[in-house]
């Protein structure tokens, strides 16, 4: 579309906004607004607010919208004032100012609720649905989304109708009606992929859909929509889905050992949704085993995330911490988890598994238990709870709490079974947990759930978890006397760990393949100290260990003192956790 020939900057700005050329619109209106004698109408101030937001000037966006509200009031335009009030509620909420947000939401209701049906009331209905759903009142939430749908159909707005479909899908998913919710989400996303919606609603729906897919543990949809979102965000950006290739992000070698806090700014003219969508992509890349790229993308996402979306930066830091932990870069992982916590995310279960790898069993148990306790109420984030239960199983097994591990695995299996329809990611997590508990209890039924788990992870193309299950399968095969099968599983697992850069796991697999005869022991332990530690991890007392090794109890105590000092632990429980985390048992 060609630009207008008029020299009037306001008219040109209006045309630029219609084309969603936000940087151009912002520059024109911003320059024009510097002159007090050149007044802007309420509608022009709204365009200035929108273009300032898209250009990364959030404070200016709020200031312009406040002026727009005053201008609408002066003109006795309650629809315009009501919509502007809702946008101020939305912006203040994103900036972490809940009191101001609540005030503007009240004003929006005051302006709009007593008017005849109008499109602006859709936003009030959407907010009402979110509030009711947050309180577990799914019926009221559904009623609000259906009012939103009726309003959208009456005014013929594709934007509002897509938002209504997405809002209803979110309520249905939170209520456990998975199949219905995902069907509505797919319908909303059809309008996105067809390029039928405005840039704002397109960005909203991508971000909301990616969150919903991961929370619902629908990994296939998450991969599909993450790729589509990054294509939409890729420069040159015009506000509509481009025809180019997907963005490849920052080169893997650009990632540093630890992600330091970065200034989060959106360069003028770039898509402010880019950082948020990239943060979602990091989680997908992590599961797919593209760890170097995931860490580099996490760093880039933290540069791009706007100041009103800091939760996305927190998610990127957390995902980077998971990568670093599994690669054995424990100090870097601690730094990344710390940044995630600073930005408001509870870094669990990653932090608990980090403490376990450090031999701090008490901290691991306390961390994952507290995180689970915070999720006791009904929660729409099914995958988040499933990951906590999987970690609780792992931690409990490491400290030889078999009843605790069995309960966590059973809860995870119940969560997977309660899902509306088959959910491969939940099923694979549950089968892994059930198989690991059966193996620890030395029950003959461990092979069946472990083989199901391996098939599930392979189907999902999630390599790290598949390799971890192969390690468990190797132990089960050895227990059954099938040494050849055990070595096949160990060899495959080792190759995957080496490709991913999961150094501790690769060393453990190599040691098990070699029978441990030439293994370098962790923590500077001697061979005798490792023997003592294995017996401690098996539940042996000092007297039991002395009898097994034909040494005195005094010598056992001396070995234990040396072990505790070398590993930096202070109890038999922590020493046991260290032994399990480092493959000594």
């Amino acid at each position: 579309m060609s630009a207008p020939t008029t020299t009037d900057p306001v008219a040109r700005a209006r045309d630029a906004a219609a084309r969603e050329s936000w940087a151009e619109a912002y520059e024109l209106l911003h320059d024009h607004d510097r002159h007090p004698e050149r007044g802007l109408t309420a509608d022009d101030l709204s365009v200035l607010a929108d273009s300032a937001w898209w250009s990364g000037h959030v404070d200016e966006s709020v200031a312009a919208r406040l002026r727009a509200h005053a201008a609408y009031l002066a003109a006795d335009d309650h629809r315009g004032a009501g919509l502007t009030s809702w946008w101020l509620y939305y912006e203040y909420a994103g900036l972490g100012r809940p009191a101001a947000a609540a005030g503007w939401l009240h004003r929006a209701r005051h302006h709009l609720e007593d008017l005849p049906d109008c499109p602006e009331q859709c936003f009030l209905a959407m907010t009402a649905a979110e509030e009711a759903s947050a309180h577990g009142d799914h019926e009221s939430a559904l009623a609000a989304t259906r009012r939103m749908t009726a309003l959208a159909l009456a005014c013929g707005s594709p934007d509002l109708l897509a938002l209504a479909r997405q809002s209803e899908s979110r309520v249905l998913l939170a209520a456990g009606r998975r199949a219905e919710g995902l069907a509505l989400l797919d319908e909303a996303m059809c309008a996105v992929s067809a390029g039928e919606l405005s840039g704002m609603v397109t960005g909203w729906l991508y971000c909301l859909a990616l969150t919903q897919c991961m929370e619902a543990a629908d990994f296939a949809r998450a991969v599909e929509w993450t790729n589509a979102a990054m294509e939409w965000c890729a420069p040159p950006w015009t506000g509509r889905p481009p025809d180019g290739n997907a963005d490849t992000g920052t080169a893997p070698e650009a990632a540093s050992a630890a992600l330091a806090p970065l200034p989060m700014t959106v360069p003028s003219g770039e898509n402010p949704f880019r950082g948020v969508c990239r943060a979602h992509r990091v989680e997908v890349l992590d599961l797919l085993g593209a760890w170097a790229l995931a860490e580099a993308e996490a760093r880039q996402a933290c540069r791009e995330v706007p100041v009103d979306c800091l939760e996305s930066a927190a998610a990127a830091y957390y995902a980077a911490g998971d990568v670093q932990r599994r690669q054995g870069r424990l100090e870097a992982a601690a730094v990344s988890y710390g940044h995630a916590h600073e930005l408001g995310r509870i870094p669990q279960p990653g932090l608990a598994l980090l403490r376990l790898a450090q031999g701090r069993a008490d901290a691991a148990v306390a961390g994952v238990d507290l995180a689970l306790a915070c999720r006791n109420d009904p929660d729409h984030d099914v995958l988040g709870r499933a990951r906590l239960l999987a970690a609780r199983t792992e931690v409990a097994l490491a400290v030889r709490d078999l009843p605790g591990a069995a309960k966590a695995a059973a809860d995870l299996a119940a969560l997977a079974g309660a899902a509306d329809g088959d959910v491969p990611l939940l099923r694979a997590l549950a089968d892994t947990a059930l198989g690991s508990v059966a193996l620890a209890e030395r029950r003959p039924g461990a092979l069946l759930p472990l083989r199901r788990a391996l098939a599930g992870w392979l189907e999902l193309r999630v390599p790290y978890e598949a390799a971890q299950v192969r390690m468990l399968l190797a132990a089960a095969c050895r227990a059954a006397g099938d040494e050849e099968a055990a070595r096949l599983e160990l060899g495959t697992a080792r190759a995957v760990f080496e490709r991913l850069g999961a150094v501790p796991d690769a060393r453990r697999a190599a040691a098990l393949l070699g029978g441990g005869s030439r293994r370098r022991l962790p923590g500077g332990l001697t061979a005798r100290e490792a023997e003592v530690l294995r017996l401690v991890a098996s539940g042996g007392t000092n007297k039991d260990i002395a009898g097994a090794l034909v040494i005195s109890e005094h010598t056992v105590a001396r070995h234990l003192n040396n072990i505790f000092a070398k590993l930096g632990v202070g109890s038999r429980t922590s020493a046991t956790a260290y032994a399990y985390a480092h493959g000594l048992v």
Side-chain angles (χ1 to χ4, degrees):
M1 182 183 296
S2 61
T5 57
T6 178
T7 58
D8 180 3
V10 175
R12 290 164 56 202
R14 291 171 187 160
D15 178 79
R19 292 181 282 110
E20 296 192 338
S21 180
W22 296 112
E24 179 186 352
Y26 170 75
E27 289 179 10
L28 288 166
L29 289 175
H30 181 72
D31 289 344
H32 183 84
D33 197 43
R34 289 177 178 175
H35 305 282
E37 70 277 6
R38 301 178 183 177
L40 292 174
T41 67
D43 289 343
D44 291 333
L45 286 167
S46 292
V47 173
L48 175 58
D50 290 342
S51 61
W53 185 87
W54 281 101
S55 302
H57 306 287
V58 178
D59 290 342
E60 289 185 48
S61 173
V62 171
R65 220 173 289 281
L66 288 168
R67 292 167 60 198
H69 177 265
Y72 282 123
L73 273 185
D76 200 29
D77 182 349
H78 284 277
R79 285 176 58 179
L83 182 58
T84 303
S85 297
W86 187 91
W87 276 110
L88 284 165
Y89 147 74
Y90 175 81
E91 291 198 75
Y92 276 125
L95 291 169
R97 297 183 57 185
W104 283 104
L105 180 58
H106 180 77
R107 279 203 176 186
R109 288 169 174 156
H110 171 74
H111 287 303
L112 296 172
E113 281 182 339
D114 294 332
L115 295 180
D117 286 355
C118 59
E120 291 81 3
Q121 292 168 346
C122 278
F123 295 95
L124 293 184
M126 183 169 68
T127 304
E130 291 171 354
E131 291 176 340
S133 187
H135 289 93
D137 186 356
H138 301 306
E139 289 304 314
S140 296
L142 281 174
T145 62
R146 285 163 185 169
R147 169 165 168 71
M148 189 181 175
T149 300
L151 290 167
L153 289 170
C155 69
S157 167
D159 275 359
L160 294 178
L161 184 58
L163 281 174
R165 298 285 189 239
Q166 186 280 329
S167 185
E168 186 174 353
S169 78
R170 188 171 185 84
V171 174
L172 290 170
L173 287 170
R177 296 162 64 177
R178 179 185 179 87
E180 296 172 79
L182 290 175
L184 273 176
L185 180 61
D186 287 344
E187 185 178 344
M189 296 306 290
C190 280
V192 172
S193 58
E196 298 169 357
L197 309 179
S198 68
M200 174 60 79
V201 175
T202 296
W204 267 356
L205 290 183
Y206 270 131
C207 294
L208 292 168
L210 293 173
T211 299
Q212 285 175 250
C213 289
M214 289 307 295
E215 289 178 347
D218 194 320
F219 187 53
R221 278 184 172 86
V223 172
E224 181 177 347
W225 291 123
T226 297
N227 291 336
M230 291 309 298
E231 286 187 23
W232 177 69
C233 291
W237 184 78
T238 61
R240 303 286 179 178
D243 296 324
N245 296 323
D247 173 45
T248 57
T250 306
E253 56 269 23
S256 62
L259 276 73
L262 295 165
M264 294 168 218
T265 57
V266 181
S268 180
E270 289 197 9
N271 187 338
F273 287 105
R274 183 181 178 88
V276 179
C277 291
R278 195 186 298 278
H280 285 292
R281 187 189 189 205
V282 171
E283 189 172 10
V284 169
L285 290 171
D286 176 21
L287 282 169
L288 292 175
W291 287 357
L293 182 57
E295 189 176 355
E297 289 284 76
R299 186 174 183 83
Q300 184 66 16
C302 292
R303 288 194 182 97
E304 295 172 340
V305 167
V307 294
D308 53 350
C309 296
L310 295 186
E311 67 278 2
S312 296
Y317 277 124
Y318 178 82
D322 276 353
V323 169
Q324 292 156 348
R325 170 178 56 80
R326 286 174 297 189
Q327 289 182 328
R329 297 156 55 200
L330 304 188
E331 291 183 7
V335 171
S336 294
Y337 289 143
H339 293 328
H341 184 263
E342 289 169 9
L343 293 173
R345 174 167 181 148
I346 298 174
Q348 295 290 2
L351 184 59
L353 296 174
L354 173 64
R355 297 304 180 222
L356 186 63
Q358 293 170 330
R360 297 172 57 185
D362 294 342
V365 172
V368 75
D369 281 351
L370 182 59
L372 275 169
C374 293
R375 290 177 179 261
N376 276 341
D377 294 332
D379 194 342
H380 60 273
D381 186 2
V382 178
L383 181 57
R385 181 167 182 80
R387 283 172 161 166
L388 284 170
L389 289 169
R392 182 66 181 91
T393 306
E394 184 176 344
V395 170
L397 288 174
V399 298
R400 305 302 294 164
D401 176 15
L402 293 184
K407 183 182 184 308
D411 289 346
L412 179 49
L415 185 67
D420 181 11
D422 185 40
V423 187
L425 186 54
L426 292 183
R427 181 166 35 85
L429 282 167
D431 285 336
T432 302
L434 292 171
S436 63
V437 171
L439 182 63
E441 293 176 341
R442 301 181 182 179
R443 288 191 276 115
L447 279 171
L448 181 59
L450 289 175
R451 292 202 184 282
R452 284 200 310 261
L454 178 59
W457 292 121
L458 291 175
E459 180 184 353
L460 290 164
R461 299 184 180 181
V462 177
Y464 179 76
E465 280 72 10
Q468 289 281 29
V469 172
R470 288 189 187 278
M471 298 288 284
L472 296 170
L473 274 170
C477 289
R478 273 186 171 164
D482 191 346
E483 180 63 26
E484 183 178 1
R487 294 185 67 80
L488 285 172
E489 298 293 359
L490 288 170
T492 303
R494 178 186 180 182
V496 172
F497 290 142
E498 289 176 344
R499 175 174 60 81
L500 293 173
V503 176
D505 293 296
R507 287 175 177 167
R508 184 160 59 99
L512 291 170
L513 271 170
S517 58
R518 294 179 300 279
R519 182 184 180 189
R520 178 182 294 179
L521 295 169
L525 296 175
T526 66
R528 176 61 87 179
E529 288 165 350
E531 286 181 297
V532 171
L533 181 54
R534 290 189 186 98
L535 292 170
V536 168
S538 300
T541 65
N542 284 15
K543 184 177 181 180
D544 296 333
I545 297 169
L549 299 180
V550 196
I551 57 178
S552 69
E553 290 186 49
H554 174 75
T555 302
V556 172
R558 178 168 55 79
H559 283 313
L560 282 175
N561 285 335
N562 291 337
I563 291 168
F564 288 177
K566 287 180 178 181
L567 303 186
V569 300
S571 69
R572 298 171 85 93
T573 300
S574 294
T576 297
Y578 185 96
Y580 274 87
H582 292 80
L584 289 171
V585 181

